[in-house]
Amino acid sequence: MAPLRRLLVLALALGLAAAAGGERRRRRLLALEALAEAEELSASLWGAGLPWDLPELEPECRRLLAAFAEGSAALAGCLGRRARPVRLCQGCHRHYGRLLAQYATIARAVGNSSESHNCAKSILTSDRLQVVVMLSEFFNETWEAANCANCLKNSSEGLSNSTVEFLDLFNKSLTCFEHNLQGQTINLSPNNYTEVCKNCNATYKMLNDLYNNLQRMNRQGGESGHSAHLCIDVEDAMNITRKLWSRTFNCSVPCSDTVPVIAVSSFILFLPIVFYLSSFLHSKQKKRILILPKRIQSNASLVNIQEKYS
């Protein structure tokens, strides 16, 4: 009875103390008052004959719940620390995998003991709120929205080879930007980034081509077997690089297909001119063919009329 009584007192005290607001000293005084009120309330409850069979978790169930709580806190902290710039998939996939395993251990009945069945029921479905289920759904939805599966191998044991290659090129691009900026700011104005554009063009082009290839592969189902957007880490890294390249440095990549594009555009542009010119010439020729016989016929009829009356 004593452990349960202390647990009830502590829970009531924490709940009342958490609800109190204001300054630090005021919160401390309110917490002490709340603790005294909780002790009085607990004493009155026990004095009224509180039943002995209050629902408590078994030791194994408490261990499973504590493990899930620690895993949720670790994953939430990881997601928050890597929210900007986005590094969720590459930095938090181990935390997410462990949390999935912990939830699966709670959800499935380990063995055939009634205790394991009671753990799943008491932790997951014993109340209306179902906090553990709600937390699990939140992390799953966040992970799916980030498309992290497209950055990982099929077993989610680590980053895929294409993702590792992309991140390596991304880091090389940023290093190239930084290196050329340090050497350029001494002699050139801040708005002139010709050295960055010239020296980092090859690296940026390789990164951009690899990103486009990953997009094409992903539409067809790549290494991860998921056909959707690329994972948020790769998309955010490419967006950052493109903004730096086009907006900050005002660089442009020369298009290798310029000549075919100009040729096709010129052909399409001249098509109406050719059409109207050929139509005009054809109509002129047709008019000549039609008018000539009419003149001959009219002259012949005029001769006949003159011979008749002569």
Side-chain angles (χ1 to χ4, degrees):
M1 181 176 72
L4 181 59
R5 181 176 179 178
R6 287 196 298 269
L7 182 61
L8 180 59
V9 170
L10 181 60
L12 289 172
L14 290 175
L16 293 173
E23 300 175 353
R24 185 175 180 181
R25 182 178 299 176
R26 183 170 173 268
R27 289 200 304 267
R28 186 175 180 182
L29 293 175
L30 289 175
L32 292 175
E33 293 177 1
L35 181 58
E37 293 178 3
E39 289 178 349
E40 294 178 2
L41 179 60
S42 176
S44 63
L45 288 174
W46 285 105
L50 196 66
W52 290 79
D53 56 347
L54 285 177
E56 289 190 20
L57 290 176
E58 299 293 335
E60 177 63 19
C61 301
R62 285 201 301 269
R63 185 189 66 80
L64 293 176
L65 182 58
F68 181 84
E70 293 176 0
S72 299
L75 180 56
C78 182
L79 294 176
R81 289 188 300 270
R82 289 164 173 80
R84 208 60 244 159
V86 183
R87 300 292 184 272
L88 305 183
C89 306
Q90 53 188 306
C92 304
H93 67 275
R94 291 186 178 86
H95 294 291
Y96 180 70
R98 281 194 291 268
L99 189 69
L100 285 181
Q102 290 163 352
Y103 183 83
T105 303
I106 296 174
R108 68 171 180 264
V110 181
N112 296 321
S113 64
S114 59
E115 180 179 331
S116 61
H117 288 280
N118 290 334
C119 285
K121 182 178 179 181
S122 58
I123 294 176
L124 301 180
T125 60
S126 61
D127 57 81
R128 178 180 61 83
L129 191 57
Q130 299 180 2
V131 175
V132 174
V133 176
M134 184 172 59
L135 285 174
S136 178
E137 290 177 351
F138 166 75
F139 288 122
N140 289 334
E141 291 173 0
T142 303
W143 201 255
E144 291 175 2
N147 291 303
C148 287
N150 291 322
C151 279
L152 306 174
K153 297 178 181 178
N154 289 330
S155 57
S156 298
E157 60 186 10
L159 297 176
S160 62
N161 296 332
S162 57
T163 303
V164 172
E165 182 182 1
F166 176 85
L167 293 176
D168 181 61
L169 271 177
F170 170 69
N171 292 329
K172 288 181 179 178
S173 299
L174 295 184
T175 303
C176 183
F177 295 163
E178 182 180 3
H179 176 74
N180 285 275
L181 282 175
Q182 290 175 353
Q184 181 171 311
T185 53
I186 300 175
N187 301 321
L188 299 178
S189 62
N191 295 326
N192 191 348
Y193 300 103
T194 54
E195 292 296 321
V196 177
C197 300
K198 180 177 67 175
N199 297 332
C200 302
N201 180 55
T203 307
Y204 174 79
K205 189 176 184 302
M206 290 173 60
L207 180 69
N208 193 61
D209 291 344
L210 178 58
Y211 181 81
N212 294 333
N213 291 333
L214 290 177
Q215 281 187 319
R216 285 192 292 268
M217 289 172 54
N218 202 55
R219 294 191 190 100
Q220 301 171 358
E223 298 177 38
S224 62
H226 297 265
S227 56
H229 294 286
L230 294 174
C231 73
I232 189 63
D233 293 25
V234 173
E235 289 183 346
D236 186 70
M238 195 67 230
N239 288 337
I240 291 174
T241 311
R242 284 175 173 173
K243 286 179 181 178
L244 287 173
W245 185 259
S246 60
R247 297 183 184 179
T248 304
F249 304 142
N250 197 23
C251 302
S252 61
V253 179
C255 182
S256 59
D257 298 332
T258 304
V259 175
V261 169
I262 293 176
V264 173
S265 301
S266 302
F267 175 75
I268 295 175
L269 180 64
F270 281 101
L271 272 179
I273 300 175
V274 174
F275 172 77
Y276 285 114
L277 182 61
S278 61
S279 176
F280 175 75
L281 295 176
H282 181 71
S283 62
K284 291 286 289 183
Q285 184 178 5
K286 191 173 182 181
K287 283 181 179 180
R288 291 176 181 176
I289 295 174
L290 292 175
I291 293 173
L292 187 59
K294 287 182 179 180
R295 290 179 178 176
I296 295 174
Q297 185 178 4
S298 60
N299 293 332
S301 59
L302 180 61
V303 171
N304 293 333
I305 294 173
Q306 290 177 353
E307 290 178 351
K308 183 177 180 180
Y309 291 97
S310 61

